[in-house]
Amino acid sequence: MPENVYKPIMADLLEIKPETPTIKTFRIAPEQPVPFRAGQFVQLTVPGVGEAPFTPSSSPSVDKEMEITILRTGSVTDALHAMTNGGPLGVRGPFGKGYPTEKMEGHNVLVVGGGVGLAPLRSLLHYLFEHLDDYKRVAICYGAREPSELLYRDCFQQWAGYDNVSFDVTVDVPDETWDGKVGVVTTLLEDFDFDIAQTYVVSCGPLIMLRFVTLTCLNAGFKPEQIYLSMNRKMSCGFGKCGRCNIGPFYLCKDGPDVCYDKIKDYKDAFSV
Ligand SMILES: Cc1cc2nc3c(=O)[nH]c(=O)nc-3n(C[C@H](O)[C@H](O)[C@H](O)COP(=O)(O)OP(=O)(O)OC[C@H]3O[C@@H](n4cnc5c(N)ncnc54)[C@H](O)[C@@H]3O)c2cc1C
Ligand code: FES
């Protein structure tokens, strides 16, 4: 990070890959490496427009380039989606703690993603695939509203092909191209056959999905301390100063954004924006 934490590192925009009608993956090369842990986030600046927080979707073992998968939703993301290769962009960070990958070693990891929520989880998946010997099994459950909204379809076969990794996908509403599973993502958890005591759950997606994933896991016998949720709030500074992102005493920018459910379960606003 530069000495002035508000000053971004400039970055070239190398490639833009459309994923769905509203989501694109941006591959960028910062002027100096930006090492990050899976789950940490950066503030991405579009000069003249503003900045917004995003979690890289690429492997944390690569620090010279970074991929970020972005849903078009407002001013900064509209500007990003309108860009062509070149840039320039700015990057601040990384911020937050990242996923507790060391704590999960020797256990099963159940990764549950919804919609664009698979993007931050993809950096965790890269990490797990690169360290599979350190984990028992990895199960990926992914859901999207409809087939055209599924991210990374070209990766599914590869992910399902790793030893001790399973990949399951469902859509809420099928179309004529879809012959896979239909139903919300929590229906995939019904087939789950891991030893629950030996498993951590990591989930990212819309808040309503996180709430139901949490309820389903608790009903199945998981303890709150086994469940990690990516809680995305509006953020500004990124390091605990502006007070925009807290749940109770927890600042999601510095204590999260992936938080153990045990830490937030007693706060009524945990699942509201
Ligand atoms: C730690 C973190 C990681 C994130 N990672 C990703 C990612 O990998 N990919 C991705 O597509 N998005 C991600 N987001 C969400 C992303 O930051 C917002 O979509 C973005 O800030 C919208 O900026 P905008 O200027 O385009 O929209 P604005 O013009 O600011 O707002 C447009 C709409 O989006 C809502 N909005 C703004 N910020 C957020 C937010 N943080 N969460 C939910 N709704 C919001 C606004 O209320 C408004 O309705 C992440 C958010 C956080 C906090
Ligand atoms: S974003 Fe400023 S305190 Fe968290």
Side-chain angles (χ1 to χ4, degrees):
M1 235 194 286
E3 269 172 37
N4 177 353
V5 285
Y6 290 102
K7 187 174 171 207
I9 296 169
M10 297 318 288
D12 289 330
L13 177 51
L14 302 180
E15 187 187 355
I16 304 170
K17 182 182 171 213
E19 302 278 357
T20 77
T22 54
I23 299 173
K24 291 179 178 176
T25 295
F26 298 78
R27 187 162 63 87
I28 64 172
E31 277 174 1
Q32 58 196 77
V34 179
F36 65 93
R37 280 177 62 93
Q40 284 191 303
F41 70 96
V42 295
Q43 288 280 8
L44 193 62
T45 308
V46 182
V49 181
E51 64 173 13
F54 302 99
T55 305
S57 56
S58 50
S59 169
S61 65
V62 178
D63 63 6
K64 291 196 175 64
E65 290 184 7
M66 182 186 284
E67 288 178 0
I68 305 179
T69 301
I70 296 176
L71 170 72
R72 180 160 49 82
T73 178
S75 52
V76 172
T77 52
D78 278 352
L80 283 162
H81 273 246
M83 288 183 89
T84 51
N85 289 3
L89 293 170
V91 188
R92 286 201 297 130
F95 301 112
K97 287 209 158 95
Y99 296 108
T101 45
E102 289 84 5
K103 188 174 173 184
M104 293 174 187
E105 284 177 9
H107 293 78
N108 305 305
V109 185
L110 170 59
V111 178
V112 188
V116 73
L118 188 63
L121 293 171
R122 194 177 69 159
S123 78
L124 174 66
L125 293 178
H126 278 296
Y127 179 90
L128 294 173
F129 297 153
E130 289 163 16
H131 299 84
L132 275 177
D133 287 349
D134 296 335
Y135 299 88
K136 283 191 167 161
R137 282 168 64 190
V138 175
I140 309 160
C141 295
Y142 178 40
R145 258 191 313 237
E146 47 191 79
S148 66
E149 293 185 12
L150 289 168
L151 297 182
Y152 313 134
R153 284 180 87 155
D154 51 343
C155 300
F156 291 177
Q157 209 179 349
Q158 186 192 359
W159 294 353
Y162 287 110
D163 284 346
N164 287 330
V165 175
S166 63
F167 176 77
D168 218 353
V169 57
T170 182
V171 297
D172 298 355
V173 184
D175 62 16
E176 64 289 349
T177 66
W178 185 252
D179 61 1
K181 294 187 179 176
V182 175
V184 292
V185 73
T186 45
T187 58
L188 299 179
L189 305 180
E190 289 161 12
D191 301 331
F192 187 68
D193 66 347
F194 288 6
D195 174 0
I196 284 177
Q198 291 296 310
T199 304
Y200 282 100
V201 182
V202 181
S203 188
C204 184
L207 278 178
I208 181 82
M209 184 203 98
L210 293 181
R211 194 156 82 87
F212 281 103
V213 167
T214 303
L215 286 175
T216 306
C217 289
L218 293 173
N219 287 339
F222 283 94
K223 297 198 175 103
E225 51 269 32
Q226 291 171 275
I227 302 170
Y228 281 82
L229 306 171
S230 299
M231 307 299 280
N232 288 349
R233 290 285 205 275
K234 288 189 178 175
M235 290 185 186
S236 181
C237 66
F239 45 86
K241 293 287 176 218
C242 71
R244 290 197 70 180
C245 68
N246 62 305
I247 298 178
F250 295 96
Y251 285 85
L252 291 171
C253 62
K254 67 182 178 73
D255 304 321
D258 315 294
V259 278
C260 184
Y261 177 62
D262 189 45
K263 301 255 193 265
I264 56 167
K265 65 182 188 325
D266 296 327
Y267 297 100
K268 275 197 278 195
D269 64 345
F271 289 107
S272 54
V273 180

Coordinates of all heavy atoms in Angstrom, one line a residue, residues 112-115 141-146 168-174 178 181-191 206 208-210 212-213 216:
V112 N -20.6 -21.8 -0.8 CA -21.9 -21.6 -1.3 C -22.0 -20.2 -1.9 O -21.9 -19.2 -1.2 CB -23.0 -21.7 -0.2 CG1 -24.4 -21.7 -0.8 CG2 -22.8 -23.0 0.6
G113 N -22.2 -20.1 -3.2 CA -22.3 -18.8 -3.9 C -23.6 -18.6 -4.6 O -24.3 -19.5 -5.0
G114 N -24.0 -17.3 -4.6 CA -25.2 -16.9 -5.3 C -25.0 -15.8 -6.2 O -24.4 -14.8 -5.8
G115 N -25.3 -15.9 -7.5 CA -25.2 -14.9 -8.5 C -23.8 -14.4 -8.6 O -22.8 -15.1 -8.6
C141 N -21.3 -25.2 -4.1 CA -22.7 -25.1 -4.5 C -23.0 -23.7 -5.0 O -22.7 -22.7 -4.3 CB -23.6 -25.4 -3.3 SG -23.4 -27.0 -2.6
Y142 N -23.5 -23.7 -6.2 CA -23.7 -22.4 -6.9 C -25.1 -22.2 -7.4 O -25.6 -23.2 -8.1 CB -22.6 -22.2 -8.0 CG -22.7 -20.9 -8.8 CD1 -23.0 -19.7 -8.1 CD2 -22.5 -20.9 -10.1 CE1 -23.1 -18.5 -8.8 CE2 -22.6 -19.7 -10.9 CZ -22.9 -18.5 -10.2 OH -23.0 -17.3 -10.9
G143 N -25.7 -21.1 -7.2 CA -27.0 -20.8 -7.7 C -27.1 -19.5 -8.4 O -26.5 -18.5 -7.9
A144 N -27.9 -19.4 -9.5 CA -28.2 -18.1 -10.1 C -29.6 -18.1 -10.4 O -30.3 -19.1 -10.5 CB -27.3 -17.9 -11.3
R145 N -30.1 -16.8 -10.7 CA -31.6 -16.7 -11.0 C -31.9 -17.5 -12.3 O -32.9 -18.2 -12.3 CB -31.9 -15.3 -11.2 CG -32.6 -14.7 -10.0 CD -33.2 -13.4 -10.3 NE -32.3 -12.5 -10.9 CZ -31.9 -11.3 -10.5 NH1 -32.4 -10.9 -9.4 NH2 -31.0 -10.6 -11.2
E146 N -31.1 -17.3 -13.3 CA -31.4 -18.1 -14.6 C -30.1 -18.4 -15.3 O -29.0 -17.9 -14.9 CB -32.3 -17.2 -15.5 CG -31.8 -15.8 -15.6 CD -32.9 -14.9 -16.3 OE1 -33.9 -14.5 -15.6 OE2 -32.7 -14.7 -17.5
D168 N -21.7 -28.3 -7.8 CA -23.1 -28.5 -8.1 C -23.7 -27.1 -8.4 O -23.4 -26.2 -7.7 CB -23.8 -29.1 -6.8 CG -24.9 -30.1 -7.1 OD1 -25.2 -30.2 -8.3 OD2 -25.4 -30.7 -6.2
V169 N -24.6 -27.1 -9.4 CA -25.2 -25.8 -9.8 C -26.7 -25.9 -10.0 O -27.2 -27.0 -10.4 CB -24.4 -25.3 -11.0 CG1 -24.5 -26.3 -12.2 CG2 -24.9 -23.9 -11.5
T170 N -27.4 -24.8 -9.7 CA -28.8 -24.8 -9.9 C -29.2 -23.4 -10.3 O -28.5 -22.4 -10.1 CB -29.5 -25.2 -8.5 OG1 -30.9 -25.2 -8.7 CG2 -29.2 -24.2 -7.4
V171 N -30.4 -23.3 -11.0 CA -31.0 -22.0 -11.3 C -32.4 -22.0 -10.8 O -33.1 -23.0 -10.6 CB -31.0 -21.8 -12.8 CG1 -29.6 -21.7 -13.4 CG2 -31.8 -22.8 -13.6
D172 N -32.8 -20.7 -10.4 CA -34.2 -20.6 -9.9 C -35.2 -20.8 -11.0 O -36.2 -21.5 -10.8 CB -34.4 -19.1 -9.4 CG -33.5 -18.8 -8.2 OD1 -32.8 -19.7 -7.8 OD2 -33.5 -17.6 -7.8
V173 N -34.9 -20.2 -12.2 CA -35.8 -20.3 -13.3 C -35.1 -20.9 -14.6 O -34.2 -20.2 -15.1 CB -36.4 -18.9 -13.6 CG1 -37.5 -19.0 -14.7 CG2 -37.0 -18.2 -12.4
P174 N -35.5 -22.1 -15.0 CA -34.8 -22.6 -16.2 C -35.2 -22.0 -17.5 O -36.3 -21.4 -17.5 CB -35.2 -24.1 -16.1 CG -36.5 -24.1 -15.5 CD -36.5 -22.9 -14.5
W178 N -31.5 -25.2 -20.5 CA -31.1 -25.7 -19.3 C -31.6 -27.1 -19.0 O -32.8 -27.3 -19.0 CB -31.5 -24.8 -18.1 CG -31.0 -25.2 -16.8 CD1 -31.7 -25.7 -15.7 CD2 -29.7 -25.0 -16.3 NE1 -30.9 -25.9 -14.6 CE2 -29.6 -25.5 -15.0 CE3 -28.5 -24.6 -16.9 CZ2 -28.5 -25.5 -14.2 CZ3 -27.3 -24.6 -16.1 CH2 -27.3 -25.1 -14.8
K181 N -30.1 -28.8 -12.6 CA -31.0 -28.7 -11.4 C -31.8 -27.3 -11.4 O -31.3 -26.3 -11.9 CB -30.2 -28.8 -10.1 CG -29.6 -30.2 -10.0 CD -29.0 -30.4 -8.7 CE -28.4 -31.8 -8.6 NZ -27.7 -32.1 -7.4
V182 N -33.0 -27.4 -10.8 CA -33.8 -26.1 -10.7 C -34.2 -26.0 -9.2 O -34.6 -27.0 -8.5 CB -35.1 -26.3 -11.5 CG1 -36.0 -25.0 -11.3 CG2 -34.7 -26.4 -13.0
G183 N -34.0 -24.8 -8.7 CA -34.4 -24.5 -7.3 C -33.3 -23.5 -6.7 O -32.3 -23.3 -7.3
V184 N -33.7 -23.0 -5.6 CA -32.8 -22.0 -4.9 C -31.5 -22.8 -4.4 O -31.6 -24.0 -4.2 CB -33.4 -21.2 -3.8 CG1 -34.5 -20.3 -4.3 CG2 -34.0 -22.2 -2.7
V185 N -30.5 -22.0 -4.2 CA -29.2 -22.7 -3.9 C -29.2 -23.6 -2.6 O -28.5 -24.6 -2.6 CB -28.0 -21.6 -3.8 CG1 -28.1 -20.8 -2.6 CG2 -26.7 -22.3 -4.0
T186 N -30.1 -23.2 -1.7 CA -30.1 -24.0 -0.5 C -30.6 -25.4 -0.7 O -30.4 -26.3 0.1 CB -31.0 -23.3 0.6 OG1 -32.2 -22.9 0.0 CG2 -30.3 -22.2 1.3
T187 N -31.3 -25.7 -1.9 CA -31.8 -27.0 -2.2 C -30.6 -27.9 -2.4 O -30.6 -29.2 -2.2 CB -32.7 -27.1 -3.4 OG1 -32.0 -26.5 -4.5 CG2 -34.0 -26.3 -3.2
L188 N -29.4 -27.4 -2.8 CA -28.2 -28.2 -3.1 C -27.6 -28.7 -1.8 O -26.9 -29.7 -1.7 CB -27.2 -27.4 -3.8 CG -27.5 -26.8 -5.2 CD1 -26.4 -26.0 -5.8 CD2 -27.9 -28.0 -6.2
L189 N -27.9 -28.0 -0.7 CA -27.4 -28.3 0.6 C -28.0 -29.6 1.2 O -27.5 -30.2 2.1 CB -27.5 -27.2 1.6 CG -26.8 -25.9 1.1 CD1 -27.0 -24.8 2.2 CD2 -25.4 -26.0 0.8
E190 N -29.2 -29.9 0.6 CA -30.0 -31.1 1.1 C -29.2 -32.4 0.8 O -29.3 -33.4 1.5 CB -31.4 -31.2 0.5 CG -32.3 -30.1 1.0 CD -33.5 -29.8 0.0 OE1 -33.7 -30.7 -0.9 OE2 -34.2 -28.8 0.2
D191 N -28.4 -32.4 -0.3 CA -27.6 -33.6 -0.7 C -26.3 -33.7 0.0 O -25.5 -34.6 -0.2 CB -27.4 -33.6 -2.2 CG -28.7 -33.6 -3.0 OD1 -29.7 -34.1 -2.4 OD2 -28.7 -33.0 -4.1
P206 N -26.5 -12.5 -2.3 CA -27.4 -11.5 -1.7 C -27.7 -11.8 -0.2 O -27.6 -13.0 0.2 CB -28.6 -11.7 -2.6 CG -28.3 -12.6 -3.7 CD -27.0 -13.3 -3.4
I208 N -30.4 -11.9 1.5 CA -31.5 -12.8 1.7 C -31.0 -14.3 1.6 O -31.3 -15.2 2.3 CB -32.7 -12.5 0.8 CG1 -33.8 -13.5 1.0 CG2 -32.3 -12.6 -0.7 CD1 -34.7 -13.1 2.2
M209 N -30.1 -14.5 0.6 CA -29.5 -15.8 0.4 C -28.7 -16.2 1.6 O -28.7 -17.3 2.1 CB -28.7 -15.9 -0.9 CG -28.2 -17.3 -1.2 SD -26.7 -17.2 -2.3 CE -25.4 -17.4 -1.1
L210 N -27.8 -15.3 2.0 CA -26.9 -15.6 3.2 C -27.8 -15.9 4.4 O -27.4 -16.8 5.2 CB -26.1 -14.3 3.5 CG -25.0 -14.0 2.4 CD1 -24.2 -12.8 2.9 CD2 -24.1 -15.1 2.1
F212 N -30.7 -17.4 4.4 CA -31.3 -18.8 4.3 C -30.2 -19.8 4.3 O -30.4 -21.0 4.8 CB -32.2 -18.9 3.0 CG -33.5 -18.3 3.3 CD1 -33.9 -17.0 2.9 CD2 -34.4 -19.0 4.1 CE1 -35.1 -16.5 3.2 CE2 -35.7 -18.4 4.4 CZ -36.0 -17.1 4.0
V213 N -29.0 -19.5 3.7 CA -27.9 -20.5 3.8 C -27.6 -20.7 5.3 O -27.4 -21.8 5.8 CB -26.7 -20.0 3.1 CG1 -25.4 -20.8 3.4 CG2 -26.9 -20.0 1.5
T216 N -30.3 -22.8 7.0 CA -30.3 -24.2 6.5 C -29.1 -24.9 7.2 O -29.2 -26.1 7.7 CB -30.1 -24.3 5.0 OG1 -31.1 -23.5 4.4 CG2 -30.1 -25.7 4.5

